[in-house]
């Protein structure tokens, strides 16, 4: 007779747990949840076989229609057998309460110990109802809104059986060619750290065992965003200073925010692939930062240690990864095939396995999976929460906050609400799929509100739509762009005809949602296809153009910046994209986004970022006859097209009265800074006040500017507010090349403003 294995666990673990707490001196027992869980985990590990423990370290992708017949033969049958035998700890990409219940049932009822699975999924910017892509959300600089967006995603995903997301991606990147910049928070470690913490808190909430929260996963540890030349899966070659001061801080912030898991990365650091990198995983993450959660590999990245030439075969790869601190194997299938023998041969100590398993089990206990493995599988809740109309309001709010106004000559925007002939042009204006981005596994295709639909809500204008040109013809989802036809100009003439008659032309141009994301690196970041030609052709007949950009990365739009009077950066804004764009175009929402990533003048300037070093030759030496020998290009200026932190509003803000409380500070003292900001325009608006510093002389050269604070404020027309910032040790110090955080006395410049390149400046000394 089959006894429900769940029962066995509860009985054995509880008896053992009581036995071990009995032995404790009363004073040493703390009855916090943490200790209770630790004791339960220890008790459970004691009754697990080595094979079962290794099973917990094994994650498989969803592999058959779990509500249908069981697989017969091949890889699917192997996975099914492994589930039954307790050799799988987690599955990814299984979704929906029915499917999750079905796989959970196999392990709970058929495996010896019935340890529930943790169910992972890429909930990147929403589950079914989609928020803007993460890079867009970062442009809001609105931490509360970003947290809320993650909460909505967690609510929908958890209602659909999922209890673990592979997000947030906290990789800093300075390279717009890299397709995955859309998934992160841009180029800055300070902003990136704040957003990392906000997202972790949004997904995990205050109580991980609540049914509407899920475990988060900060990825990809570490330095994946520095892929050489922006080419996907490429090597990374950065120095220690960049690793510690730029790449690692957002991960540290996620760990400090109690993130439960981290994912390692496809890249190498200093010649050692991240998946087998003991320095990163054990020395820094688990020892120095005291991270108590678990580390999952990226997809097949353990097996890829062989391809890298770092391990000689699968066995060697399993050894390297486990010793380095990769606790769970995503789809390499080699922990399950190799680790047992490695332990039996004494190559890996069982304590390494126990440590990994106890980390994994701890998260499962924290999620409440041992109390009820089906707690995320409530069909009534699924029906009520997934696609709940309230979530549409939340993602619309986030979408509006993510929009950045890049240019607005002669106040062409906002558009007048009546009596206007408006020509709307561009394939992306009529897109219901592209705004969903490339990470939208659970959501239905073509479910975004298009810009055309959004603008049609403003009924007192005469709106005419023409496509003009395709972004591409074919399927960009899994095909390279070079295989796709984008040369057709046959519909230009229709666009030109309507543009001629229009008071204002709104052109929605840019990248399709599938042109950025994983494995979508590009060497050319101009407007794809013939869209630039279309823009120029329309401009010839009507100069009153509002360019609405759709894109998952900074684009190079030099020509547009020179000629087009109004430019609105709208990224890929998710389910409510078109409504958000229309409300901003018509002034029902005053844009307040600021760029989280520098826009270059052309692709050759990349990597270009605001927090660069000064170099030994930063400026032209006017007194020197050899005028060319300074750090610059001879064909384009050094400045970017739009700097980090840049973004306009329908009003204007004036900064004055930048004051420090003193001019000389002891090294332990806080520096208090205040500045007055006035809304000098005619409408209310929001402004992101930004604080930067420069450490003028240090034992390791410091950037010319570093963001160290920001404040999002709202001001009525004519209103003035004083904003206060505090600089403390944490913000004034930096990491040396040994990864130690140090603070050095000396002179500091302080800059405050609404963009990184135009600020009020002052100065202080640290003694
Ligand atoms: C590979 C990606 O790099 C990672 O971010 C993602 O979470 C996994 N695939 C699972 O889909």
């Amino acid at each position: 007779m089959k006894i429900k294995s769940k029962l066995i666990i509860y009985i054995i673990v509880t008896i053992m747990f009581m036995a071990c707490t009995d032995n404790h001196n009363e004073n040493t027992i703390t009855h916090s949840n943490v200790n209770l869980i630790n004791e339960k985990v220890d008790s459970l590990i004691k009754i697990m076989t080595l094979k079962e423990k290794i099973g917990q370290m094994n994650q498989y992708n969803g592999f058959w229609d779990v509500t249908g017949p069981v697989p017969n033969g091949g890889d699917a049958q192997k996975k099914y057998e492994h589930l039954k035998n307790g050799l799988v700890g987690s599955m990814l990409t299984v979704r929906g309460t029915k499917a999750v219940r079905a796989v959970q049932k196999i392990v709970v009822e058929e495996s010896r110990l019935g340890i529930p699975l943790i169910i992972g999924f890429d909930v990147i910017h929403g589950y079914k109802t989609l928020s803007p892509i993460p890079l867009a959300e970062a442009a809001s600089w609105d931490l509360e809104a970003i947290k809320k967006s993650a909460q909505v995603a967690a609510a929908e995903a958890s209602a659909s059986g999922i209890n673990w997301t592979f997000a947030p991606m906290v990789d800093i990147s300075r390279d717009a060619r890299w397709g995955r910049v859309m998934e992160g928070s841009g180029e800055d470690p300070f902003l990136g750290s704040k957003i990392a913490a906000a997202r972790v808190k949004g997904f995990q909430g205050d109580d991980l065992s609540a049914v509407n929260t899920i475990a988060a996963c900060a990825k990809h540890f570490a330095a994946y965003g520095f892929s050489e030349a922006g080419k996907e899966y490429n090597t990374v070659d950065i120095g220690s200073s960049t690793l510690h001061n730029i790449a690692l801080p957002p991960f540290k912030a996620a760990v400090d925010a109690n993130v439960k898991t981290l994912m390692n990365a496809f890249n190498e650091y200093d010649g050692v692939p991240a998946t087998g990198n003991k320095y990163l995983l054990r020395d820094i993450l688990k020892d120095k930062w005291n991270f108590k959660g678990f580390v999952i590999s990226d997809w097949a990245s353990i097996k890829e240690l062989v391809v890298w030439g770092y391990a000689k075969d699968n066995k060697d790869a399993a050894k390297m990864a486990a010793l380095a601190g990769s606790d769970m194997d995503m789809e390499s299938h080699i922990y399950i095939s190799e680790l047992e023998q490695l332990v039996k041969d004494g190559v890996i100590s069982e304590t390494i396995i126990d440590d990994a398993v106890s980390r994994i089990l701890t998260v499962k206990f924290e999620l409440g999976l041992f109390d009820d493995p089906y707690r995320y599988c409530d069909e009534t809740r699924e029906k009520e929460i997934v696609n709940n109309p309230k979530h549409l309001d939340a993602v619309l709010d986030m979408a509006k906050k993510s929009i950045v106004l890049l240019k607005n000559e002669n106040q062409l925007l906002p558009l007048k609400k009546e009596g206007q002939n408006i020509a709307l042009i561009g394939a992306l204006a009529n897109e219901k799929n592209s705004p969903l981005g490339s990470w939208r596994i659970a959501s239905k295709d073509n479910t975004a509100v298009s810009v055309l639909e959004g603008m049609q809500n403003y009924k007192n204008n005469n709106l005419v739509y023409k496509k003009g040109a395709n972004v591409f013809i074919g399927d960009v989802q899994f095909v390279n762009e070079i295989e796709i036809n984008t040369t057709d100009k046959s519909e230009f003439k229709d666009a030109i005809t309507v543009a001629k008659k229009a008071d204002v032309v709104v052109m929605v141009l840019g990248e399709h949602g599938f042109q950025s994301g994983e494995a979508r690196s590009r060497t050319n970041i101009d407007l794809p296809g013939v869209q630039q030609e279309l823009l120029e052709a329309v401009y010839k007949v009507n100069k009153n153009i509002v360019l609405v950009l759709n894109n998952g990365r900074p684009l190079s739009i030099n020509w547009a910046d020179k000629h087009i009077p109004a430019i609105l950066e709208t990224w890929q804004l998710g389910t409510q994209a078109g409504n958000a764009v229309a409300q901003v175009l018509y002034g029902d929402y005053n844009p307040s986004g600021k760029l989280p990533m520098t826009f270059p003048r052309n692709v050759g300037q990349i990597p270009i970022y605001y927090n660069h070093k000064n170099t030994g030759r930063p400026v032209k030496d006017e007194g020197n006859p050899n005028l060319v020998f300074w750090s610059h290009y001879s064909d384009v200026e050094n400045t970017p097209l739009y700097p980090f932190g840049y973004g306009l509003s329908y009003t204007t803000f004036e900064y004055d009265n930048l004051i420090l409380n003193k001019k000389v500070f002891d090294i332990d003292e806080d520096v208090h800074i205040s500045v007055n900001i006035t809304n000098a325009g005619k409408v209310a608006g929001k402004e992101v006040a930004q604080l930067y510093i420069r450490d003028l002389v240090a034992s390791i050269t410091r950037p010319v500017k570093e963001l160290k604070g920001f404040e999002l404020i709202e001001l009525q027309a004519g209103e003035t507010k004083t904003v206060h910032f505090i600089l403390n040790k944490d913000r004034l110090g930096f990491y040396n090349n040994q990864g130690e955080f140090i603070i050095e006395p000396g002179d500091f410049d302080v800059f405050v403003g609404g963009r990184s390149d135009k600020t009020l400046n002052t100065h202080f000394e640290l003694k």
Side-chain angles (χ1 to χ4, degrees):
M1 194 182 69
K2 198 191 288 172
I3 305 173
K4 287 268 175 333
S5 48
K6 210 174 82 185
L7 269 182
I8 301 185
I9 293 193
Y10 292 151
I11 295 163
I12 299 178
V13 170
T14 310
I15 291 169
M16 295 183 72
F17 166 69
M18 282 162 66
C20 69
T21 50
D22 276 354
N23 290 339
H24 282 184
N25 173 323
E26 236 179 77
N27 295 331
T28 63
I29 301 172
T30 61
H31 288 283
S32 71
N33 277 343
V34 177
N35 282 351
L36 275 175
I37 288 178
N38 288 347
E39 308 252 13
K40 285 182 183 174
V41 167
D42 289 348
S43 306
L44 181 51
I45 286 184
K46 285 196 185 111
I47 60 168
M48 294 171 77
T49 64
L50 176 59
K51 238 197 168 90
E52 284 166 341
K53 289 181 196 171
I54 293 165
Q56 287 302 305
M57 300 166 72
N58 183 29
Q59 185 192 55
Y60 285 147
N61 192 37
F63 52 96
W64 94 101
D65 175 6
V66 279
T67 51
V70 289
N72 187 7
D75 198 46
Q77 185 173 1
K78 178 190 103 177
K79 286 180 173 179
Y80 175 71
E81 297 294 334
H82 282 186
L83 279 171
K84 278 204 316 191
N85 294 325
L87 301 182
V88 185
S90 171
M91 292 196 70
L92 78 149
T93 325
V94 180
R95 65 174 189 274
T97 53
K98 266 204 187 115
V100 172
R101 183 179 284 277
V103 284
Q104 202 67 287
K105 200 160 177 249
I106 301 171
V107 295
V108 169
E109 294 195 0
E110 306 204 34
S111 72
R112 186 179 77 96
L113 292 173
I115 299 174
L117 299 163
I118 175 169
I119 304 287
F121 198 86
D122 288 288
V123 186
I124 306 298
H125 54 106
Y127 181 67
K128 280 229 197 273
T129 312
L130 294 183
S131 282
I133 57 170
L135 185 66
E137 289 195 358
S140 73
W141 298 53
D142 186 332
L143 301 175
E144 266 313 302
I146 291 172
K147 183 172 151 199
K148 179 92 207 308
S149 160
Q151 271 165 359
V152 168
E156 288 202 0
S158 61
S160 208
I162 288 147
N163 37 54
W164 177 25
T165 175
F166 304 126
M169 185 185 104
V170 304
D171 297 309
I172 297 298
S173 181
R174 296 165 165 176
D175 199 325
R177 291 169 297 183
W178 190 47
R180 291 195 91 163
V181 297
M182 56 72 58
E183 201 179 335
S185 298
E187 72 189 35
D188 183 64
F190 185 86
L191 178 62
S193 297
K194 296 283 173 208
I195 292 176
R199 289 201 168 119
V200 168
K201 287 181 192 148
F203 287 125
Q204 297 190 167
D206 297 330
D207 175 10
L208 198 59
S209 72
V211 282
N212 59 354
T213 59
I214 57 180
C217 179
K219 68 189 189 184
H220 304 84
F221 196 68
Y224 180 40
F226 285 84
S227 284
E228 266 185 352
K231 189 174 79 172
E232 187 64 294
Y233 313 133
N234 205 0
T235 61
V236 163
D237 198 1
I238 57 169
S240 161
S241 181
T242 303
L243 176 77
H244 291 289
N245 289 292
I246 307 292
L248 292 185
F251 288 98
K252 174 78 166 54
V255 169
D256 291 344
N258 200 21
V259 71
K260 292 296 163 187
T261 71
L262 258 80
M263 185 183 292
N264 57 37
F266 289 128
N267 58 282
E268 61 172 21
Y269 174 70
D270 236 356
V272 181
T275 304
N277 199 311
K278 181 175 164 296
Y279 174 61
L280 291 175
L281 297 174
R282 282 212 195 276
D283 301 352
I284 295 179
L285 176 66
K286 291 183 176 174
D287 293 345
K288 198 163 160 199
W289 295 355
N290 202 21
F291 172 64
K292 295 290 179 219
F294 71 88
V295 175
I296 177 143
S297 77
D298 203 343
W299 184 287
S301 68
I302 300 183
K303 206 158 61 183
E304 287 171 13
L305 294 179
V306 180
V307 191
W308 272 106
Y310 185 68
K312 65 177 184 299
D313 53 23
N314 282 351
K315 186 176 233 166
D316 203 24
K319 178 186 98 180
M320 300 287 204
L323 289 177
S326 289
D327 302 309
M328 190 181 272
D329 169 0
M330 180 195 284
E331 272 291 331
S332 279
H333 300 212
I334 64 176
Y335 273 3
I336 202 65
S337 64
E338 308 296 340
L339 279 185
E340 190 181 7
Q341 199 54 47
L342 284 164
V343 174
K344 285 186 176 152
D345 293 346
V347 179
I348 293 183
S349 139
E350 196 161 344
T351 53
I352 296 273
I353 307 292
D354 287 352
D355 174 61
V357 176
S358 83
R359 289 167 180 272
I360 294 163
L361 292 176
T362 300
V363 177
K364 291 186 177 184
F365 270 107
E366 289 174 336
L367 283 163
L369 286 166
F370 282 94
D371 299 329
D372 176 6
Y374 306 110
R375 65 203 317 263
Y376 300 91
C377 300
D378 174 347
E379 283 184 43
T380 319
R381 193 172 160 253
E382 184 175 37
K383 276 198 197 101
E384 184 200 324
I385 304 289
V386 176
N387 273 333
N388 187 306
K390 279 194 198 136
H391 297 164
L392 291 177
D393 296 341
V395 299
L396 174 60
D397 181 60
M398 186 72 251
K400 287 188 285 194
K401 288 174 171 161
S402 304
I403 293 174
V404 186
L405 180 62
L406 296 176
K407 192 176 172 193
N408 195 17
E409 249 173 36
N410 307 323
Q411 296 183 315
L412 184 56
L413 288 175
L415 299 174
K416 295 194 185 87
K417 284 186 178 162
E418 51 191 6
Q420 298 281 291
N421 283 320
I422 301 203
L424 178 63
I425 295 173
L428 291 169
N430 193 20
E431 259 292 334
K432 294 177 68 62
N433 215 21
S434 169
L436 303 176
S438 60
W439 269 126
R440 30 83 158 253
I441 312 173
S443 74
K444 254 179 132 182
D445 283 352
N446 296 308
T447 47
V449 177
S450 69
V451 174
L452 174 59
E453 289 168 332
M455 290 188 74
Q456 279 166 342
N457 290 331
Y458 291 82
K459 298 192 188 313
N460 298 333
N461 278 336
N462 178 30
L463 181 71
V464 187
Y465 170 69
K466 291 290 168 200
K467 179 165 75 176
N470 288 305
V471 180
F472 58 86
I473 300 171
D475 173 12
V476 268
Q477 186 166 358
F478 294 113
V479 180
N480 283 326
E481 283 176 53
I482 34 183
E483 291 149 23
I484 284 168
N485 170 13
T486 48
T487 53
D488 181 11
K489 297 187 213 164
S490 58
E491 293 182 52
F492 272 31
K493 56 180 181 320
D494 296 346
I496 290 167
T497 308
V498 297
K500 270 186 191 154
K501 295 183 203 142
D503 298 308
V504 182
V505 184
V506 176
M507 295 188 73
V508 185
L509 306 178
E511 296 176 313
H512 189 277
F514 281 122
Q515 283 175 300
S516 58
E518 184 178 351
R520 274 97 177 184
S521 292
R522 308 179 67 217
T523 60
N524 181 342
I525 56 166
D526 299 342
L527 294 172
V530 291
Q531 293 180 98
Q532 178 65 34
E533 287 172 69
L534 175 65
L535 180 62
E536 292 182 28
V538 170
Y539 179 78
K540 278 195 187 126
V541 300
N542 191 337
K543 300 199 170 10
N544 250 358
I545 297 176
V546 177
L547 172 60
V548 174
L549 287 175
N550 278 196
N551 41 315
R553 53 157 67 81
L555 295 178
S556 96
I557 49 158
N558 247 334
W559 186 91
D561 177 67
K562 265 199 203 91
H563 298 91
I564 303 300
I567 307 176
L568 200 60
E569 173 54 72
T570 70
W571 320 101
Q572 280 110 23
L573 290 176
T575 306
Q576 286 279 18
N579 286 334
V581 173
Q583 289 179 29
V584 169
L585 286 174
Y586 278 107
D588 285 338
Y589 189 86
N590 186 355
S592 56
K594 303 273 186 179
L595 293 177
M597 206 170 168
T598 303
F599 272 48
R601 292 180 186 277
N602 65 35
V603 75
Q605 283 187 312
I606 292 174
I608 181 166
Y609 46 95
Y610 85 97
N611 50 353
H612 60 83
K613 299 293 181 72
N614 203 35
T615 79
R617 298 182 174 192
V619 286
K620 187 153 47 170
D621 179 355
E622 298 294 350
N624 186 338
N626 296 322
L627 280 180
V628 294
F629 297 111
W630 63 291
S631 177
H632 73 298
Y633 297 104
S634 53
D635 61 344
V636 71
E637 52 193 285
N638 273 355
T639 55
L641 187 63
Y642 303 121
F644 175 81
Y646 170 80
L648 306 173
S649 160
Y650 294 150
T651 185
T652 51
F653 298 100
E654 283 170 5
Y655 286 68
D656 69 0
N657 216 18
L658 175 60
I659 295 176
L660 302 185
N661 60 327
K662 295 205 280 184
K663 283 288 176 190
V664 181
F665 295 86
D666 286 339
I667 209 135
D668 280 327
E669 260 182 301
D670 287 351
V671 178
H672 290 258
I673 298 157
S674 67
V675 70
N676 286 351
I677 305 175
T678 302
N679 179 345
K682 293 195 175 67
V683 291
K686 281 195 253 163
E687 168 72 336
V688 182
Q690 302 156 42
L691 165 73
Y692 298 87
I693 61 162
R694 176 169 178 191
D695 182 349
L696 287 166
V697 181
S699 53
I700 289 179
T701 59
R702 307 302 308 136
V704 294
K705 252 172 211 173
E706 294 177 85
L707 183 72
K708 292 294 173 185
F710 60 88
E711 201 65 47
L712 177 63
I713 55 163
E714 184 154 15
L715 291 172
Q716 299 306 312
E719 191 186 4
T720 300
K721 272 186 186 159
T722 305
V723 172
H724 300 273
F725 295 103
I726 296 179
L727 286 170
N728 56 21
K729 256 179 145 177
D730 291 348
R731 296 191 179 179
L732 293 171
F734 60 90
Y735 290 94
N736 66 17
N737 285 344
Q738 287 67 50
E740 295 148 354
F741 192 76
I742 56 171
I743 177 159
E744 294 178 342
D747 289 326
F748 288 78
D749 284 338
V750 173
F751 315 87
V752 178
R755 51 193 276 185
S756 60
D757 65 339
K758 288 222 164 78
T759 52
L760 299 177
N761 306 345
T762 182
H763 184 90
F764 68 88
E765 187 192 340
L766 210 57
K767 282 216 299 194

